Amino acid sequence: MTAPFIKGPSDPTVQPVPASVVEKVDAADTTLSNPNWAVVALGSNLGNRLETLQGAVDALGDTPGLRIKGVSPVYETEPWGVDPGSQPAYFNAVVVLKTTLPPASLLERAHAVEEAFHRVRDEHWGPRTLDVDIVSYADVVSDDPQLTLPHPRAHERAFVLAPWHDLDPEAQLPGRGPVAGLLDTVTRDGVAPRRDLELRLPE
């Protein structure tokens, strides 16, 4: 049985999107010749982790030019790169979306959502209220230091690959191959599904 989820505040920087804009975004979803699929990974290990992830999903869904098409199951993950027990465990999830935003604009939006949830970047591998990472964008492969695509460590991370595979068993990581095959090459130690928790698609 799925635990009830009480909706908390979403991204406080986002104003309600006018109905006319929503209609245009919906139309773009089916009529524009260049919408692209993208995959975004979410993580939180401070505060109300589930509420934060849901807030991030809602905030992304409030973005004109972006429509969320799927939200993965939630996983609980031991933190990477730190001593065991020194930080709370993460909740992780993956979102698949369709967007007319270029990669740089999607990155700006990801950073804005992180900042709205008080993300602080003062410690490498430090705890954080929210991570919003672009895993892949269409078939783009780029070594741009501002936004490397696909994410340079996604192929090594079960906490990205496992929820993504749950959401889309046929998924491909550009330049790396099938997510299912990549998942077979990494350890799932410390990465556990939380079947009692659930994230909702934006309304």
Side-chain angles (χ1 to χ4, degrees), residues 176-196:
R176 295 285 183 178
V179 168
L182 295 172
L183 188 54
D184 286 340
T185 68
V186 299
T187 178
R188 296 200 194 197
D189 291 347
V191 180
R194 286 294 303 268
R195 304 191 192 284
D196 57 321

mmCIF file of all heavy atoms in Angstrom, residues 176-196:
data_model
loop_
_atom_site.group_PDB
_atom_site.id
_atom_site.type_symbol
_atom_site.label_atom_id
_atom_site.label_comp_id
_atom_site.label_asym_id
_atom_site.label_seq_id
_atom_site.Cartn_x
_atom_site.Cartn_y
_atom_site.Cartn_z
ATOM 1 N N ARG A 176 26.752 5.293 -24.486
ATOM 2 C CA ARG A 176 27.063 4.224 -23.524
ATOM 3 C C ARG A 176 26.265 2.954 -23.763
ATOM 4 O O ARG A 176 26.687 1.879 -23.365
ATOM 5 C CB ARG A 176 26.803 4.712 -22.092
ATOM 6 C CG ARG A 176 27.703 5.846 -21.645
ATOM 7 C CD ARG A 176 29.096 5.341 -21.328
ATOM 8 N NE ARG A 176 29.955 6.420 -20.819
ATOM 9 C CZ ARG A 176 31.206 6.235 -20.432
ATOM 10 N NH1 ARG A 176 31.746 5.020 -20.459
ATOM 11 N NH2 ARG A 176 31.933 7.247 -20.003
ATOM 12 N N GLY A 177 25.087 3.080 -24.382
ATOM 13 C CA GLY A 177 24.295 1.903 -24.679
ATOM 14 C C GLY A 177 23.101 1.730 -23.770
ATOM 15 O O GLY A 177 22.699 2.649 -23.041
ATOM 16 N N PRO A 178 22.498 0.526 -23.787
ATOM 17 C CA PRO A 178 21.277 0.278 -23.021
ATOM 18 C C PRO A 178 21.491 0.441 -21.513
ATOM 19 O O PRO A 178 22.479 -0.034 -20.954
ATOM 20 C CB PRO A 178 20.930 -1.173 -23.364
ATOM 21 C CG PRO A 178 21.641 -1.459 -24.647
ATOM 22 C CD PRO A 178 22.898 -0.641 -24.606
ATOM 23 N N VAL A 179 20.535 1.093 -20.882
ATOM 24 C CA VAL A 179 20.592 1.266 -19.429
ATOM 25 C C VAL A 179 20.564 -0.091 -18.738
ATOM 26 O O VAL A 179 21.248 -0.304 -17.725
ATOM 27 C CB VAL A 179 19.436 2.170 -18.962
ATOM 28 C CG1 VAL A 179 19.289 2.141 -17.445
ATOM 29 C CG2 VAL A 179 19.658 3.602 -19.445
ATOM 30 N N ALA A 180 19.807 -1.038 -19.282
ATOM 31 C CA ALA A 180 19.736 -2.368 -18.662
ATOM 32 C C ALA A 180 21.118 -3.013 -18.593
ATOM 33 O O ALA A 180 21.489 -3.605 -17.567
ATOM 34 C CB ALA A 180 18.779 -3.256 -19.461
ATOM 35 N N GLY A 181 21.891 -2.907 -19.668
ATOM 36 C CA GLY A 181 23.231 -3.487 -19.674
ATOM 37 C C GLY A 181 24.164 -2.759 -18.727
ATOM 38 O O GLY A 181 24.983 -3.390 -18.038
ATOM 39 N N LEU A 182 24.059 -1.437 -18.669
ATOM 40 C CA LEU A 182 24.908 -0.664 -17.754
ATOM 41 C C LEU A 182 24.594 -1.022 -16.306
ATOM 42 O O LEU A 182 25.494 -1.122 -15.474
ATOM 43 C CB LEU A 182 24.691 0.838 -17.996
ATOM 44 C CG LEU A 182 25.122 1.368 -19.354
ATOM 45 C CD1 LEU A 182 24.660 2.815 -19.527
ATOM 46 C CD2 LEU A 182 26.644 1.296 -19.517
ATOM 47 N N LEU A 183 23.318 -1.227 -16.028
ATOM 48 C CA LEU A 183 22.911 -1.550 -14.663
ATOM 49 C C LEU A 183 23.491 -2.888 -14.228
ATOM 50 O O LEU A 183 23.816 -3.084 -13.048
ATOM 51 C CB LEU A 183 21.382 -1.558 -14.578
ATOM 52 C CG LEU A 183 20.734 -1.680 -13.209
ATOM 53 C CD1 LEU A 183 21.241 -0.613 -12.252
ATOM 54 C CD2 LEU A 183 19.213 -1.604 -13.348
ATOM 55 N N ASP A 184 23.663 -3.794 -15.162
ATOM 56 C CA ASP A 184 24.247 -5.101 -14.836
ATOM 57 C C ASP A 184 25.720 -5.006 -14.456
ATOM 58 O O ASP A 184 26.273 -5.944 -13.867
ATOM 59 C CB ASP A 184 24.111 -6.050 -16.030
ATOM 60 C CG ASP A 184 22.680 -6.542 -16.208
ATOM 61 O OD1 ASP A 184 21.900 -6.467 -15.243
ATOM 62 O OD2 ASP A 184 22.352 -6.985 -17.328
ATOM 63 N N THR A 185 26.378 -3.893 -14.793
ATOM 64 C CA THR A 185 27.821 -3.765 -14.549
ATOM 65 C C THR A 185 28.149 -3.017 -13.268
ATOM 66 O O THR A 185 29.328 -2.899 -12.914
ATOM 67 C CB THR A 185 28.505 -3.029 -15.722
ATOM 68 O OG1 THR A 185 28.080 -1.656 -15.749
ATOM 69 C CG2 THR A 185 28.169 -3.685 -17.050
ATOM 70 N N VAL A 186 27.140 -2.480 -12.581
ATOM 71 C CA VAL A 186 27.402 -1.689 -11.373
ATOM 72 C C VAL A 186 26.804 -2.393 -10.154
ATOM 73 O O VAL A 186 25.883 -3.210 -10.271
ATOM 74 C CB VAL A 186 26.826 -0.262 -11.488
ATOM 75 C CG1 VAL A 186 27.461 0.479 -12.650
ATOM 76 C CG2 VAL A 186 25.301 -0.277 -11.645
ATOM 77 N N THR A 187 27.321 -2.083 -8.997
ATOM 78 C CA THR A 187 26.776 -2.645 -7.768
ATOM 79 C C THR A 187 25.525 -1.886 -7.340
ATOM 80 O O THR A 187 25.443 -0.662 -7.516
ATOM 81 C CB THR A 187 27.804 -2.595 -6.630
ATOM 82 O OG1 THR A 187 27.197 -3.112 -5.440
ATOM 83 C CG2 THR A 187 28.277 -1.172 -6.355
ATOM 84 N N ARG A 188 24.588 -2.637 -6.784
ATOM 85 C CA ARG A 188 23.395 -2.005 -6.226
ATOM 86 C C ARG A 188 23.473 -1.936 -4.708
ATOM 87 O O ARG A 188 22.472 -1.611 -4.053
ATOM 88 C CB ARG A 188 22.141 -2.775 -6.639
ATOM 89 C CG ARG A 188 21.871 -2.768 -8.132
ATOM 90 C CD ARG A 188 20.422 -3.109 -8.392
ATOM 91 N NE ARG A 188 20.148 -3.428 -9.767
ATOM 92 C CZ ARG A 188 18.933 -3.439 -10.302
ATOM 93 N NH1 ARG A 188 17.890 -3.169 -9.559
ATOM 94 N NH2 ARG A 188 18.753 -3.744 -11.559
ATOM 95 N N ASP A 189 24.624 -2.242 -4.149
ATOM 96 C CA ASP A 189 24.783 -2.150 -2.698
ATOM 97 C C ASP A 189 24.454 -0.737 -2.227
ATOM 98 O O ASP A 189 24.961 0.254 -2.771
ATOM 99 C CB ASP A 189 26.215 -2.496 -2.287
ATOM 100 C CG ASP A 189 26.537 -3.964 -2.511
ATOM 101 O OD1 ASP A 189 25.594 -4.748 -2.739
ATOM 102 O OD2 ASP A 189 27.732 -4.320 -2.456
ATOM 103 N N GLY A 190 23.626 -0.637 -1.207
ATOM 104 C CA GLY A 190 23.270 0.663 -0.660
ATOM 105 C C GLY A 190 22.248 1.419 -1.478
ATOM 106 O O GLY A 190 21.996 2.596 -1.217
ATOM 107 N N VAL A 191 21.645 0.763 -2.482
ATOM 108 C CA VAL A 191 20.632 1.401 -3.329
ATOM 109 C C VAL A 191 19.392 0.513 -3.288
ATOM 110 O O VAL A 191 19.382 -0.574 -3.873
ATOM 111 C CB VAL A 191 21.134 1.566 -4.783
ATOM 112 C CG1 VAL A 191 20.065 2.226 -5.653
ATOM 113 C CG2 VAL A 191 22.414 2.388 -4.807
ATOM 114 N N ALA A 192 18.356 0.960 -2.578
ATOM 115 C CA ALA A 192 17.194 0.097 -2.331
ATOM 116 C C ALA A 192 15.903 0.801 -2.749
ATOM 117 O O ALA A 192 15.694 1.985 -2.446
ATOM 118 C CB ALA A 192 17.106 -0.253 -0.849
ATOM 119 N N PRO A 193 15.012 0.091 -3.449
ATOM 120 C CA PRO A 193 13.720 0.685 -3.798
ATOM 121 C C PRO A 193 12.873 0.912 -2.556
ATOM 122 O O PRO A 193 12.873 0.097 -1.636
ATOM 123 C CB PRO A 193 13.086 -0.363 -4.715
ATOM 124 C CG PRO A 193 13.743 -1.647 -4.349
ATOM 125 C CD PRO A 193 15.138 -1.298 -3.908
ATOM 126 N N ARG A 194 12.167 2.034 -2.536
ATOM 127 C CA ARG A 194 11.227 2.339 -1.460
ATOM 128 C C ARG A 194 9.818 2.190 -2.014
ATOM 129 O O ARG A 194 9.204 3.155 -2.461
ATOM 130 C CB ARG A 194 11.470 3.751 -0.918
ATOM 131 C CG ARG A 194 12.712 3.882 -0.064
ATOM 132 C CD ARG A 194 12.587 3.081 1.245
ATOM 133 N NE ARG A 194 11.420 3.471 2.020
ATOM 134 C CZ ARG A 194 11.438 4.408 2.975
ATOM 135 N NH1 ARG A 194 12.587 5.012 3.284
ATOM 136 N NH2 ARG A 194 10.345 4.717 3.629
ATOM 137 N N ARG A 195 9.327 0.976 -1.995
ATOM 138 C CA ARG A 195 8.029 0.688 -2.607
ATOM 139 C C ARG A 195 6.862 1.273 -1.808
ATOM 140 O O ARG A 195 5.721 1.274 -2.289
ATOM 141 C CB ARG A 195 7.866 -0.822 -2.781
ATOM 142 C CG ARG A 195 9.019 -1.433 -3.603
ATOM 143 C CD ARG A 195 8.737 -2.853 -4.010
ATOM 144 N NE ARG A 195 9.948 -3.501 -4.529
ATOM 145 C CZ ARG A 195 10.468 -3.295 -5.718
ATOM 146 N NH1 ARG A 195 9.887 -2.414 -6.531
ATOM 147 N NH2 ARG A 195 11.573 -3.916 -6.100
ATOM 148 N N ASP A 196 7.153 1.754 -0.591
ATOM 149 C CA ASP A 196 6.112 2.378 0.214
ATOM 150 C C ASP A 196 5.944 3.849 -0.101
ATOM 151 O O ASP A 196 5.055 4.495 0.442
ATOM 152 C CB ASP A 196 6.455 2.225 1.704
ATOM 153 C CG ASP A 196 7.829 2.808 2.050
ATOM 154 O OD1 ASP A 196 8.767 2.646 1.240
ATOM 155 O OD2 ASP A 196 7.953 3.421 3.129
#
